[in-house]
Amino acid sequence: MEIIENRKDLLTILNTWKDLNLTTAFVPTMGYLHEGHLSLVKKGNEQADKSIVSIFVNPTQFGPNEDFSQYPRDLNRDITLLNEANCDLIFAPDVDEIYDGSQIPHWSVPDSLSLRLCGRSRPGHFDGVVEVVTRLFTLIPADFAIFGEKDYQQLCIIKTMTNALKLKPKILSGPIIRNPEGLALSSRNKYLNDLEKNTALCLFQSIQEAKKMAAIDPTMNAQSILEYLKGTLFNNPLIKLDYLEIIDERNLSLLENLNPFARLMIAVYIGQTRLIDNANLFE
Ligand code: AMP
């Protein structure tokens, strides 16, 4: 496994692989890796000859009052995990290596995708995501890039952006990996104490409850499901609900009645920690 910190060395390796006609799969991450990230690396290894993982905590996608400086980092641990996962190349640049003043194609996130859900409570977040992913795709024009459904809105935005800018990678996605109790794995789970971790199970429980209701009435009014969940599982002083919505997963628009593309989208604060989760209600 190669560990690279700068563009020049990255280009040398990518060119060697290109000369050998090897295909590549790229998994962008912010590090502090867990089984969710590693499932995407596994998918990359299945899809392509070589897998590449970037580890970069991108400052431009954090708001001024968010956790950029506290975001957990442990490169040595990440290296061990990626070695075990048969990753071929780690790209772990510093901020100046990514934001070096070079020109990249520009694309503005349409309001219909950026001003809703996470975009509403994190203004500018998706502009930062789009910029860093465009920079990374320019440096690493892989055949495939793999993102988790955990960040479902991000996945939709990146698919749309990659199409609009005609960037190289084919975007693939992987399902949400959870702990045995159902909590979606996240680097931010490190912030939770035991009580908060237990409280955080409301996310998965709400998905299960919503699925049960959807199974009984597949065209049910979305609002009645949301009202039920708000009055029961989220009616807890330790939980601050950021959003709870049922959307059409094809375009993120709000759904009045369920259809086969209905996806429950959830964001909560538990203590200081913001957690998100989502699921299609019929899968
Ligand atoms: P992050 O390091 O949080 O930026 O995440 C890097 C990639 O891993 C993103 O595509 C995430 O959607 C994905 N990811 C994060 N957590 C999970 C999870 N629990 N299951 C599957 N993919 C995940």
Side-chain angles (χ1 to χ4, degrees):
M1 186 173 69
E2 308 271 0
I3 304 164
I4 303 286
E5 289 175 357
N6 66 70
R7 294 168 173 249
K8 194 168 144 280
D9 295 345
L10 176 68
L11 197 64
T12 307
I13 298 192
L14 294 183
N15 280 338
T16 312
W17 289 349
K18 202 170 164 196
D19 291 345
L20 294 168
N21 275 327
L22 297 173
T23 56
T24 47
F26 174 35
V27 180
T29 81
M30 298 205 296
Y32 209 73
L33 303 179
H34 50 65
E35 288 298 326
H37 298 110
L38 300 177
S39 71
L40 305 181
V41 179
K42 183 163 180 268
K43 184 157 187 155
N45 280 332
E46 287 161 4
Q47 286 290 328
D49 300 314
K50 297 284 183 188
S51 57
I52 304 164
V53 173
S54 62
I55 296 178
F56 180 65
V57 186
N58 173 38
T60 69
Q61 70 190 65
F62 288 79
N65 299 319
E66 293 185 355
D67 57 344
F68 173 68
S69 55
Q70 291 100 323
Y71 195 84
R73 294 162 170 87
D74 190 342
L75 185 58
N76 287 333
R77 179 173 164 279
D78 291 346
I79 290 171
T80 307
L81 290 173
L82 288 174
N83 205 7
E84 288 165 7
N86 294 320
C87 170
D88 294 290
L89 192 166
I90 300 177
F91 181 51
D94 68 16
V95 172
D96 294 341
E97 198 68 33
I98 294 293
Y99 295 101
D100 68 336
S102 57
Q103 292 296 311
I104 50 154
H106 178 72
W107 181 75
S108 297
V109 192
D111 289 354
S112 58
L113 296 179
S114 73
L115 297 182
R116 314 211 22 253
L117 303 164
C118 288
R120 200 174 48 211
S121 36
R122 304 185 70 187
H125 168 67
F126 288 116
D127 297 329
V129 169
V130 161
E131 173 164 25
V132 77
V133 173
T134 310
R135 287 191 177 277
L136 288 167
F137 282 3
T138 307
L139 288 173
I140 304 175
D143 297 285
F144 304 95
I146 311 174
F147 292 83
E149 283 182 7
K150 163 92 186 332
D151 299 271
Y152 192 81
Q153 187 175 12
Q154 166 176 284
L155 173 65
C156 290
I157 290 174
I158 287 168
K159 274 187 186 161
T160 312
M161 180 273 280
T162 308
N163 267 334
L165 293 177
K166 300 189 169 43
L167 300 178
K168 172 94 188 288
K170 179 174 164 52
I171 307 299
L172 304 177
S173 61
I176 300 176
I177 306 298
R178 302 175 179 280
N179 78 6
E181 285 78 44
L183 178 63
L185 300 187
S186 163
S187 309
R188 288 192 170 98
N189 291 351
K190 178 183 161 54
Y191 300 143
L192 302 172
N193 63 32
D194 285 346
L195 174 64
E196 290 171 333
K197 247 185 212 151
N198 205 33
T199 309
L201 296 181
C202 65
L203 296 162
F204 184 58
Q205 287 160 355
S206 69
I207 290 172
Q208 288 176 307
E209 283 303 314
K211 281 186 175 179
K212 275 190 218 156
M213 295 170 89
I216 294 169
D217 178 0
T219 58
M220 188 166 180
N221 176 269
Q223 207 53 40
S224 21
I225 298 181
L226 300 176
E227 289 309 323
Y228 172 74
L229 297 176
K230 281 180 194 166
T232 52
L233 292 167
F234 295 105
N235 189 7
N236 175 339
L238 295 176
I239 303 169
K240 186 171 161 266
L241 191 58
D242 181 3
Y243 62 73
L244 183 69
E245 293 186 13
I246 295 177
I247 56 145
D248 187 310
E249 63 185 10
R250 294 169 295 182
N251 57 15
L252 304 186
S253 66
L254 273 182
L255 271 186
E256 201 166 311
N257 289 91
L258 302 187
N259 70 26
F261 305 99
R263 187 168 284 265
L264 181 68
M265 307 287 286
I266 318 158
V268 298
Y269 289 92
I270 296 185
Q272 300 299 309
T273 310
R274 188 170 183 280
L275 300 175
I276 58 172
D277 206 336
N278 69 83
N280 176 293
L281 293 184
F282 298 97
E283 278 172 7

